[in-house]
Structure formats: structure tokens, C-alpha cells
């Protein structure tokens, strides 16, 4: 790993007041110029519109992750499956539940370059191997992609779509998959980044235009930037320990937005946990891939 003296040190600033118990999953929607994220276990979608005003939409018992849809609206992972939030609507259209076990819920996810939505599940008590990575295609068919997951977290594809990065948090790693150019199936999983336990646990992910990976560190109070070969390049300090996810946004994709959590904290008096943070790191992000319904293909 790169020596600490060679690592660029940045400080995140608070972009909002404390607004979430467990903030997660930020995503920039370029079609609306809005940032979305979730207060996951409150089941709420948060939206920051131009001017900094935050709107809230109640989606259900759990709002795990949201991604833009080509043509408008959002695709969602809720507690036990997928849903669509149509443009202008406040109530999601839920698809059939994927399981009935109340001890399992959805967690983080994202869309591949073919416009398919993935979200991974986990046990509420974090029991090892109880989670599954699921895929929703443009015909709204759900498929199991990866079993034996514990805490399915960050998932992001390269702009070209030939590689994907994935976090199962207890492994302490970000893994890289090759992606089949014809089927979109991931294969050839191998470690891309290893995060020492004392620095926190890897959570949400973002990619920048230079091919570097940004990793939110749960209980690490930071976001790290890693080179394509896994070298630590930049540390963004966040003044609260439970950093959950990050995403580039803004008209030029120059701002890194960072979500945080207050969940389970005995010490909640730092005045920052649950707020949204931001930093301008000097590099642009790559836009996330949107969900594409079959009618749009």
C-alpha cells in the first residue's frame, strides 16, 4: 500500500443537516439534476433538488437502493424485492416478493451497462452467507446471480461495462469481476482492493473518469480513492465514523457526495452522523448506468 505521506488528504464538508438515521445509496440523476439517497430502515427516499431543498418519499418498510430509469422515474430495491417509481408518482409499484423470510432484507445495488438492475440481500442479524445478489432485467424478470453473500454492498460497473466491482463487507475487500460482453454475466472474481481492518470496512463504491475506485469506509470515518492496481491515493476524512456510500454528482460530475449513518451509535453527539457530506476532489466521476425497461431497448 502507498505510504501515508504520499496519500492526498482531503476534508469533506457537510452538505445538509442531519436528515437520516441510516443514510445510504446516493445517486445523481442527470435527467433531473437531482441527487437521490435513502434513509434505508425508515423506508424513505430522500431527494435534494436545486437550491438544496430535501424532499422525502415514503416507499415502504425498507428503501434499500434507487437508480434512475431511462425515460424517467426510478427502479427500487425494497425490503424483499424490486419496485418501480413512475415519473410524478409518490407510491411505488411493487413487483412480486423474492422471498418470504422476514429475517432477510435487501441492501445496496446498481445497474450494469446493459441497463439491468442488481441488488443484494443480507440478514438483519448479519448471519454469514444468508444473502443473495439478485438481477432485474428489462422485462422485469428477477434472477439469482450470486449466493452465499453476507452483507452485499457496493456494486459499480466501468463505463464500458466490461468490469464490475463488488463488496461483501465482511471480506474486507473490493472484488473485481470480468463481464461477458454478450450476456452481461460476471465471472473471474478476484480481489481488487484489500482494506486493513483498522481502517474500517468497505461499503459503497463510486468510479471516477481516471478509472480509480472510491470506497466508503464503515466505521472508518473516511472515503478512500484507490488506483486500478489497488494503491491508496486519496483519503477523504468525514467527521463521523459510519460512512456508508459515495457518488459523484453535479452538472459536471465534479462533486463527491457521501452518506452517513447514526444507526446503533451510543455516542450520537458529534452533530454530523446521518448528514450528507460533499467534497470536490479534483477529478470527475463517471455517470452511473440507468435502468432500461425492455420497451426502451
Amino acid at each position: 500500500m502507498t505510504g501515508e505521506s504520499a496519500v492526498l488528504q482531503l476534508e469533506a464538508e457537510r452538505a445538509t443537516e442531519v436528515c437520516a438515521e441510516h443514510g445510504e445509496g446516493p445517486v445523481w440523476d442527470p435527467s433531473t439534476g437531482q441527487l437521490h439517497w435513502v434513509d434505508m430502515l425508515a423506508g424513505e427516499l430522500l431527494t435534494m433538488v436545486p437550491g438544496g431543498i430535501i424532499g422525502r418519499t415514503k416507499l415502504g418498510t425498507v428503501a434499500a437502493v434507487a437508480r434512475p430509469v431511462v425515460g424517467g422515474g426510478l427502479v427500487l430495491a425494497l425490503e424483499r424485492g424490486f419496485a418501480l417509481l413512475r415519473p410524478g408518482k409518490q407510491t411505488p409499484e411493487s413487483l412480486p416478493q423474492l422471498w418470504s423470510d422476514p429475517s432477510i432484507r435487501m441492501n445496496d445495488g446498481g445497474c450494469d451497462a446493459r441497463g439491468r438492475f442488481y441488488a443484494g440481500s443480507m440478514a438483519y442479524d448479519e448471519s454469514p452467507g444468508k444473502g443473495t445478489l439478485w438481477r432485474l432485467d428489462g422485462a422485469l424478470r428477477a434472477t439469482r446471480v450470486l449466493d452465499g453473500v453476507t452483507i452485499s454492498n457496493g456494486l459499480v460497473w466501468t463505463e464500458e461495462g466490461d468490469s464490475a466491482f463488488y463488496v461483501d463487507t465482511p471480506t474486507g475487500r473490493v472484488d473485481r469481476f470480468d463481464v461477458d460482453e454478450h450476456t452481461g454475466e460476471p465471472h473471474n472474481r478476484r480481489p481488487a482492493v484489500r482494506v486493513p481492518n483498522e481502517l474500517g470496512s468497505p461499503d459503497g463504491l463510486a468510479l471516477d473518469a481516471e478509472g480509480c475506485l472510491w470506497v466508503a469506509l464503515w466505521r472508518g470515518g473516511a472515503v478512500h480513492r484507490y488506483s486500478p492496481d489497488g494503491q491508496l491515493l486519496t483519503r477523504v476524512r468525514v467527521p463521523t465514523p459510519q460512512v456508508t456510500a459515495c457518488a459523484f454528482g453535479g452538472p459536471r460530475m465534479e462533486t463527491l457526495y457521501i452518506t452517513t449513518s447514526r444507526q446503533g451509535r451510543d455516542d450520537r453527539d458529534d452533530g454530523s452522523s446521518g448528514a450528507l457530506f460533499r467534497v470536490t476532489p479534483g477529478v470527475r466521476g463517471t455517470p452511473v448506468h440507468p435502468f432500461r425497461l425492455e420497451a426502451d431497448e
Side-chain angles (χ1 to χ4, degrees):
M1 179 175 291
T2 302
E4 190 69 19
S5 62
V7 176
L8 177 63
Q9 304 287 335
L10 300 175
E11 302 283 342
E13 64 174 10
R14 208 160 73 174
T16 70
E17 297 302 313
V18 172
C19 57
E21 182 71 11
H22 186 58
E24 261 281 13
V27 63
W28 178 258
D29 187 344
S31 68
T32 62
Q34 297 177 342
L35 184 81
H36 301 291
W37 69 107
V38 295
D39 190 350
M40 185 178 286
L41 301 181
E44 292 187 338
L45 174 74
L46 280 64
T47 301
M48 189 164 66
V49 300
I53 300 170
I54 298 175
R56 293 178 180 270
T57 304
K58 181 70 173 179
L59 299 178
T61 54
V62 170
V65 62
R67 287 294 183 266
V69 177
V70 173
L74 298 169
V75 64
L76 310 167
L78 303 182
E79 186 174 29
R80 298 179 207 166
F82 297 112
L84 292 172
L85 188 63
R86 303 285 185 178
K89 301 295 185 180
Q90 295 292 307
T91 302
E93 299 174 14
S94 293
L95 302 177
Q97 286 193 356
L98 300 177
W99 63 88
S100 59
D101 185 346
S103 71
I104 306 293
R105 67 167 174 85
M106 281 292 200
N107 206 43
D108 205 354
C111 289
D112 68 14
R114 298 165 63 89
R116 304 180 302 180
F117 183 48
Y118 294 66
S121 62
M122 60 174 285
Y124 276 100
D125 66 2
E126 303 180 5
S127 294
K130 292 292 186 70
T132 299
L133 182 64
W134 294 86
R135 178 177 64 228
L136 182 72
D137 67 21
L140 303 183
R141 296 175 300 230
T143 306
R144 303 171 80 103
V145 176
L146 186 65
D147 290 315
V149 175
T150 299
I151 303 178
S152 189
N153 249 316
L155 181 58
V156 66
W157 280 258
T158 58
E159 198 164 9
E160 301 79 11
D162 58 352
S163 294
F165 295 92
Y166 176 63
V167 170
D168 183 1
T169 291
T171 67
R173 302 190 312 264
V174 181
D175 288 342
R176 184 169 190 158
F177 289 88
D178 295 329
V179 177
D180 187 280
E181 62 178 324
H182 299 295
T183 66
E185 291 298 317
H187 62 279
N188 190 25
R189 182 178 183 175
R190 70 273 191 195
V193 171
R194 299 182 187 273
V195 179
N197 187 60
E198 64 270 18
L199 297 182
S201 299
D203 202 321
L205 303 175
L207 275 171
D208 66 33
E210 296 178 0
C212 294
L213 192 65
W214 297 78
V215 183
L217 297 178
W218 176 256
R219 298 197 175 121
V223 176
H224 282 180
R225 182 191 189 216
Y226 292 94
S227 67
D229 62 356
Q231 297 298 307
L232 177 60
L233 302 178
T234 304
R235 177 177 174 85
V236 180
R237 296 190 186 94
V238 182
T240 189
Q242 295 184 169
V243 180
T244 56
C246 55
F248 282 94
R252 295 172 55 85
M253 298 294 286
E254 292 177 328
T255 301
L256 185 72
Y257 291 99
I258 302 164
T259 50
T260 65
S261 173
R262 296 164 61 83
Q263 182 185 5
R265 290 198 62 198
D266 293 328
D267 174 16
R268 299 162 66 98
D269 62 3
D270 63 24
S272 294
S273 56
L276 178 75
F277 289 81
R278 66 187 169 207
V279 67
T280 305
V283 62
R284 294 186 187 183
T286 58
V288 298
H289 301 290
F291 182 65
R292 186 177 296 273
L293 289 163
E294 197 169 76
D296 297 318
E297 294 183 342

